[in-house]
Every structure is written in C-alpha cells, then in structure tokens.
Amino acid sequence: MENRGNFATKLGIIAAVAGSAVGLGNIWRFPYLLGQNGGAAFFLVYLLCVVLMGIPVMMAEMSLGRMGGRNASGAFKALGRPKWSLLGKMGVLCAFLILGFYYVVAGWTLEYTFQAIKFDFIGQTPGDLADSFAAFSTHNIRPIVTAVAFMIITCLVVSFGVKKGIENSSRMLMPILFIFIIVLAIRSVTLPGAMEGLKFLFKPDFGKITADVVLSAMGQAFFSLSIGMGCLLTYGSYVKKDVNLENTSLQVVGVDTLVAVLAAIAIFPAVFSMGLDPGQGPQLVFVTLPHVFNQMPGGSIFAIIFFLLLVVTTLTSTISLLEVVTAYFGEEFNMKRGKASVLASALCVPLVVLASLSLGQLGHIQLFHCNIFDFLDKITSQIFMPLGGLLICIFVGWILPGKDLHESLSNKGKIKLRIWSVFYFLVRYVSPVVILLIFLGQFLR
Ligand code: PHE
C-alpha cells in the first residue's frame, strides 16, 4: 500500500483524537445549546447520550478505520463491502458541510484574539459587548475574511503535513487551556449572584425534557466527540495494531466531557450575574467571557492567551475535518496531498460565504425554518452524524464478524480488553436502537 502516515506514539494518537474532539463544540456550542434547552435537564440527557452512544460509536469507528486501513470510503472496500463505501462518502459530504459553518465560528475566535490584543474589551458593558458582536458577525466582509484566513491556515497545515508539529504543541497547550478554563470557572462562580447559574446548570427540571431537547443533546454528543462522519475512522486508519483503542476512547471521552462541563461552569454563573438571557444562542460565549475577563486582575492579558489557546484547539478540530476530505480525494482519486487539501478547501469557500452572510444580509433565506448557518449545523449534527453512527453500529455489530473485531481490538489477544462485552452489547443492541428511537421521537410529537 502507498506510504500512509502513522501516529508514531501512543500519546500522539490520544493528542490527535482529543485534538479533534475538543474544540468549539465544547466551548462555544455546548454552553449555548445548554442555555437554549433548559440547562441541567439537557446536561443530564447529554451525559446519557455520551455513555450509551458516544463511547461505543467512538470505539467502533476507530477500530473500523484501523481494520480497513484506508480513508472513510475506501475502508469499506478494503473490508470487502464496497456498497458500504456510500456510508464513507456520506461522511466526506458531512465533513464539508460542517466546515461550512465551523470556519465561520473559527474566524470569530481569530477576530476576538485581535480584539483582545488591542485591549478592546476594557470598559465595555455587557450591552456594548453584545452590540459589538452583532455588528461584527452580521458584517458583509469582516467575518468572511477571518473565516477564510482560518481556512488557509488549516489548509497549509494539512498540505504540508506539519500535523505532527501541531499535535505536539497541542499536547502541551491543551493542559494550559484546561488550567485557564478552571481559573475562569473560579472567577465566574465567585461573581455576585453566581449561585443562580450553578442551579441552572446542576438542578434539573425534568419537565423540560422534550423530544427536541433529546435530539439536540444527541446531536451535540456526536458533534463534540467527532463521531459518526468518518473523522475517527480516518484517524483510526493511521493507528498501529498495538494501540489499545478502548483506553484511547475512554480517555478522549473523559477529557472532552470535562472541558465542556468546565466551560459551562465558566459561563453560566457569569450569565446570571450579568442578568443576561442564557438562551441567547451562538453569541453567548463571545458576549459573556470578555465580561468575565474584565472582572479579573490581569484580565486583559489573560484574555489574549485564552483566545490564542482557543484558536489552537479549534485548529486541531478543523485539521481533522479537512483530513477526512483530503484522505478521500488523495486515495480515491490519486491526488497529491497538497492538491487534495487545496481543492477541498476551495470547495468550502461558497458554503463559508453563505453561512456567514446568512447571519446578516442573507438572513431572510430560510431552509426548514432555519437560516443557512443553522441549517448546516442542524443537518450535520442532528441527521448525518447520528445516522452515520447508526450505520457504523450496524456494520460493526452485525456485518463484521465479532471474532475479527475482537481480534483487532485486542491485537490477537495481546491487549487485555476490560469492557469488551459491555461494548459489544451496546454496539449491537443499545446504541442503534436508542438512535432510532430518538429519530422516531421527532415524528411522534
Ligand atoms: N468535535 C469538534 C468540536 O467539538 C468538531 C468536529 C466534529 C470535529 C466532527 C471533527 C469532526 O469542536
């Protein structure tokens, strides 16, 4: 087979997979969805989804990738099931659609880094912060420039294969980001009136659990863990046989969940302390955090480092998304890496432009009651990814011989598996059924 990159060390894999998983999904999307969907009740359903679907699908998808040893689509052909490569192609399409809106938000993190460097937040009231976010995000040109800048950086990293360097640095930077979020969380919970925020986060009102809340919690679990669309399948194909994928999955799920929870603790007490609306949507984090920085001694320097770290974690996620498409173009159409990633990025540009404009000028264009940005977000996280996860469970649980799967996961018995029977049971019976039921729940309303 052609020369495929491999992750050299076990830590390298965990860093790469955690790098893909931890990103805007944890720090931007999780808090704002939690705010819109009733707080603690959403949180609880989210945790259930992570355990019942997240862990099994992640393990299944990575082992599938390692067994197939190719890109998301080619892996199925390599395993002798060419018809299933359609599932991989759906993943490639999904990666495109995600990049379409993810780059827009990634661009916002660049803009906020510049604003932090210019000390723009100082002296701004929560009202000013909300106005300045609205002015920026609905502008016709500025957010497109920052999104395309982010896209170019991602494309350069993927084409020159400097991923190793990024992964090594993200292995060091991620713990620092972690400490920063903890400091933010401490400042937030010590603001006046913070208790309300903690109650919102941890005291569930079960009456708030509706079919919609459950669907968005499931979507968030898939989105945050990067599962169900071929990303971890592609990464799995770079993983050597002696790596314990059970441990890798459990550790990544643990880190991803912890970062999301800490981000929520950093945000909600501050939201309630400022008297803001927790359900205000995508702008939540960008309006709230600068206010928290303003309340901290040395807050302006802290803000600069925080946003820089956020850019790096976002970058490790966009790299993993672009890698899905690049590996597919490269292997299935025999393209050179550089050409494949440039082509993939160029194809994203129209989506990025439309997604960004749909928050301002093109807001009147509605698809299924959503603007283009929300449409891309919803169709990927609430349809493509869970559907992909469902099909991965069926393939791994019912089509691949269990013996082969066990052999691969345990490296022919050399790795002691701790949760094999639970995992196999979940993949075969629980995860697919739960995903189906949540889909059906939409029609039974
Ligand atoms: N998991 C990433 C995040 O939380 C987003 C992502 C989704 C990355 C799908 C890769 C694949 O930000």
Side-chain angles (χ1 to χ4, degrees), residues 73-96:
S73 161
F76 293 97
K77 292 187 205 150
L79 290 169
R81 305 280 171 175
K83 283 210 184 105
W84 281 81
S85 62
L86 199 61
L87 169 55
K89 295 197 180 90
M90 186 176 97
V92 174
L93 174 66
C94 182
F96 256 127

Side-chain angles (χ1 to χ4, degrees), residues 123-358:
Q124 291 205 46
T125 63
D128 300 336
L129 289 165
D131 290 346
S132 101
F133 178 84
F136 166 69
S137 62
T138 57
H139 195 270
N140 279 344
I141 299 166
R142 277 161 58 205
I144 297 181
V145 172
T146 51
V148 171
F150 209 103
M151 190 186 85
I152 293 173
I153 300 171
T154 309
C155 181
L156 286 174
V157 172
V158 172
S159 353
F160 289 114
V162 285
K163 278 189 296 171
K164 285 235 162 55
I166 299 286
E167 271 145 30
N168 286 336
S169 43
S170 94
R171 200 186 319 164
M172 281 168 9
L173 294 175
M174 222 194 273
I176 305 180
L177 176 70
F178 205 72
I179 295 171
F180 266 66
I181 301 179
I182 293 178
V183 174
L184 273 177
I186 294 175
R187 175 65 273 216
S188 183
V189 295
T190 49
L191 288 170
M195 220 28 221
E196 275 312 299
L198 289 176
K199 272 199 207 134
F200 180 75
L201 204 52
F202 293 113
K203 216 167 145 226
D205 170 358
F206 293 100
K208 293 215 169 116
I209 302 180
T210 60
D212 266 342
V213 169
V214 176
L215 181 68
S216 60
M218 170 170 78
Q220 173 59 16
F222 275 81
F223 187 84
S224 187
L225 296 173
S226 310
I227 53 178
M229 41 70 70
C231 181
L232 296 191
L233 198 158
T234 308
Y235 272 21
S237 74
Y238 304 129
V239 173
K240 292 196 186 129
K241 286 195 174 46
D242 60 347
V243 170
N244 185 339
L245 288 179
E246 194 181 85
N247 284 346
T248 310
S249 308
L250 292 174
Q251 283 168 8
V252 170
V253 170
V255 169
D256 189 78
T257 309
L258 199 58
V259 174
V261 173
L262 285 172
I265 300 180
I267 287 161
F268 286 100
V271 167
F272 281 83
S273 163
M274 289 149 73
L276 294 178
D277 168 17
Q280 59 185 288
Q283 71 197 52
L284 183 69
V285 176
F286 292 93
V287 173
T288 311
L289 288 183
H291 175 76
V292 182
F293 298 136
N294 281 343
Q295 310 297 314
M296 293 166 65
S300 4
I301 305 295
F302 192 95
I304 299 176
I305 305 175
F306 176 84
F307 278 115
L308 277 172
L309 292 168
L310 185 58
V311 166
V312 176
T313 43
T314 303
L315 184 61
T316 53
S317 299
T318 53
I319 290 171
S320 74
L321 281 159
L322 187 59
E323 180 67 26
V324 177
V325 191
T326 304
Y328 171 71
F329 282 171
E331 291 177 2
E332 302 300 304
F333 300 98
N334 254 325
M335 268 183 213
K336 288 240 158 51
R337 254 196 106 67
K339 196 169 155 202
S341 63
V342 171
L343 177 64
S345 305
L347 289 171
C348 280
V349 175
L351 277 183
V352 169
V353 171
L354 286 173
S356 182
L357 289 178
S358 77

